[in-house]
Amino acid sequence: QVRLVESGGGLVQAGGSLTLSCTASGSIFSFDAMGWYRQAPGKQRELVATILYGGDETYTDAVKGRFAISRDKIKNTVNLEMYNLKPEDTAVYYCKGGLGATPSWGQGTQVTVSS
């Protein structure tokens, strides 16, 4: 199974920006889709953004216009650019590969937005 490793999390002030990266042990194009999820303390894991194999992107309403998902073919990463961050964006962010019954998940990276 392809292993995924997230990086780029950290502490940022409200209004700031961060870019998360998800590096795969195999080709990111081996997945029919890749996505970013997040889980805040006491809450369920939620979908943030996805990018399909063909390049179509989707975003949850809370991040539309502020987050952008992309793929870097050379670095073999899936990135999540996050702008105008808000305290409610604070969560552990996870990378997911695949839409099937046995997707690959990374270990997560913490994003903390201070007010």
Side-chain angles (χ1 to χ4, degrees):
Q1 192 176 32
V2 177
R3 292 168 56 185
L4 304 175
V5 178
E6 302 94 336
S7 62
L11 173 64
V12 64
Q13 289 187 332
S17 60
L18 281 174
T19 296
L20 306 182
S21 291
C22 174
T23 303
S25 61
S27 173
I28 58 174
F29 293 97
S30 67
F31 295 109
D32 49 7
M34 295 198 72
W36 283 95
Y37 288 68
R38 66 187 180 186
Q39 187 166 17
K43 295 187 176 181
Q44 289 189 331
R45 191 172 297 190
E46 64 172 354
L47 175 64
V48 175
T50 59
I51 184 164
L52 300 181
Y53 181 86
D56 290 343
E57 303 166 19
T58 61
Y59 300 91
T60 190
D61 287 346
V63 307
K64 283 181 180 177
R66 300 190 299 121
F67 289 14
I69 190 170
S70 64
R71 294 176 296 193
D72 188 320
K73 297 179 181 179
I74 296 175
K75 295 182 179 179
N76 198 41
T77 59
V78 177
N79 303 315
L80 185 68
E81 297 175 67
M82 307 184 293
Y83 301 97
N84 190 22
L85 283 160
K86 304 176 181 181
E88 51 264 42
D89 294 318
T90 294
V92 177
Y93 284 70
Y94 298 90
C95 178
K96 177 186 174 185
L99 296 173
T102 56
S104 296
W105 287 95
Q107 82 291 346
T109 186
Q110 177 70 47
V111 172
T112 302
V113 184
S114 63
S115 58

